[in-house]
Amino acid sequence: MSIERHELSCEGMRAAVLTYGAALQSLEVDGVNVVLGLEDPEEYRTRSRYFGAVVGRYGNRIARGRFTLDGTTYQLPVNNGPNSLHGGVDGFDKRIWRVTAASTSAVTLELVSPDGDQGYPGTLTASITYTLDGRALRLDYRARTDAPTVVNLTNHSYFNLAGGGDVLGHVLRMAALHYLPVDEQKIPTGETAPVKGTDFDFTGPRRIGGWEDHCFVLDGGIRVVEPVSGRVMEVSTTEPGVQFYAGGMLDGVATPYGRHAGFCLETQHFPDSPNQPHFPSTVLRPGETYTSTTIYRFPA
């Protein structure tokens, strides 16, 4: 199936969204593209590292690719060592989404994931709406199911506010007093640890170190500054956490981008929540609607 491209514009901002993976291909702020993307949409089938994609049915990791819901255990494909990552081998990032509404400043894409897809129960109908509103990009997710399931959708854009080079000079401040420690497989241990006195403390402005690939518990918003250009991005979300990843696994071989060419702020529920009952629940049941909103704002 061919890949469609939809262009959005509003007040000094332009964006391009692909139907493949519902991916944000580009986001121009005052003429500078601040996300990593591939010029040829067809390359997303073979060269993407989730660039700009909506990942699901469950973003981040589920330990051993297994969880139990209402007494039934479900086995998912494992694609990250012994664990399932970003929905499995054939996640939402590799699907063609259907455009259900479009205008000059907004586009809505929908995907129907059948019962048993990648091992997940229930037929899930998911959608995302990208909206340019003033100097902000707003992402609104919705999902419904016909049987109990788990859902954790997020966007995997890599940002570079300089429009090139690496992101290690970017300065980040994040209202997060706690983070989730992980084991050697990057699965949360179940502990919620304070950031104070550790390298995880971004409650004050701090340069990106390059080692980051952890989930932080959000108490408020995020602000990133690129000091040379002075460009600023502010992030707000309805989600309880954010996976902050500094692009350390980009290699410049499989894709055009080398290490630390971009950073990700994947707003989401916590990794492995289906196996961690004290984490905020990611269970969705028939009659309920999953909703999530994240806004990336670029003050003038």
Side-chain angles (χ1 to χ4, degrees):
M1 188 178 296
S2 61
I3 300 172
E4 299 175 13
R5 183 177 188 268
H6 290 262
E7 296 185 356
L8 313 176
S9 63
C10 181
E11 294 186 29
M13 294 184 62
R14 297 176 61 87
V17 176
L18 304 177
T19 52
Y20 188 84
L24 180 66
Q25 183 188 27
S26 64
L27 177 63
E28 294 183 9
V29 180
D30 299 324
V32 176
N33 182 24
V34 298
V35 299
L36 305 189
L38 303 174
E39 289 189 15
D40 182 356
E42 288 297 324
E43 287 191 298
Y44 280 76
R45 300 184 192 270
T46 57
R47 300 193 73 194
S48 179
R49 289 295 181 270
Y50 304 104
F51 291 134
V54 173
V55 293
R57 183 177 301 195
Y58 198 96
N60 218 311
R61 293 170 176 85
I62 293 180
R64 302 175 304 283
R66 187 181 309 134
F67 67 92
T68 300
L69 177 60
D70 295 342
T72 299
T73 298
Y74 298 93
Q75 181 64 55
L76 319 173
V78 295
N79 60 333
N80 183 245
N83 307 309
S84 180
L85 174 67
H86 292 334
V89 177
D90 186 24
F92 288 5
D93 61 294
K94 297 179 179 64
R95 311 291 176 85
I96 298 287
W97 293 56
R98 181 174 67 94
V99 174
T100 59
S103 69
T104 58
S105 60
V107 62
T108 299
L109 303 98
E110 183 180 273
L111 180 69
V112 178
S113 173
D115 179 40
D117 185 8
Q118 297 295 286
Y120 289 92
T123 297
L124 186 81
T125 301
S127 71
I128 181 170
T129 300
Y130 290 96
T131 304
L132 288 181
D133 182 10
R135 293 182 62 86
L137 174 66
R138 178 180 174 123
L139 282 60
D140 290 293
Y141 306 85
R142 293 174 64 87
R144 292 179 66 83
T145 183
D146 64 359
T149 191
V150 295
V151 186
N152 187 29
L153 303 179
T154 188
N155 180 273
H156 205 292
S157 288
Y158 291 79
F159 292 93
N160 185 322
L161 302 186
D166 67 47
V167 296
L168 300 183
H170 287 54
V171 177
L172 183 141
R173 182 172 185 173
M174 176 163 45
L177 298 177
H178 297 83
Y179 76 101
L180 303 184
V182 294
D183 63 19
E184 64 279 359
Q185 298 293 337
K186 297 186 178 179
I187 297 296
T189 63
E191 179 187 7
T192 301
V195 301
K196 188 174 182 179
T198 75
D199 289 340
F200 297 91
D201 191 350
F202 287 89
T203 56
R206 182 172 182 167
R207 289 183 182 272
I208 293 176
W211 51 267
E212 299 92 348
D213 189 9
H214 296 79
C215 188
F216 290 77
V217 181
L218 289 174
D219 302 295
I222 304 168
R223 178 181 172 91
V224 188
V225 178
E226 198 287 299
V228 177
S229 66
R231 192 165 292 112
V232 175
M233 181 174 74
E234 297 172 343
V235 185
S236 59
T237 185
T238 58
E239 292 297 290
V242 61
Q243 185 79 11
F244 172 31
Y245 168 50
M249 288 181 282
L250 295 173
D251 58 13
V253 177
T255 77
Y257 300 103
R259 292 189 72 205
H260 311 307
F263 65 89
C264 301
L265 292 169
E266 303 161 57
T267 54
Q268 59 186 255
H269 271 57
F270 301 158
D272 200 37
S273 290
N275 296 309
Q276 310 261 5
H278 57 291
F279 283 176
S281 177
T282 56
V283 174
L284 180 68
R285 298 185 180 278
E288 300 175 344
T289 300
Y290 167 97
T291 61
S292 175
T293 297
T294 296
I295 300 173
Y296 301 95
R297 188 174 303 279
F298 301 85

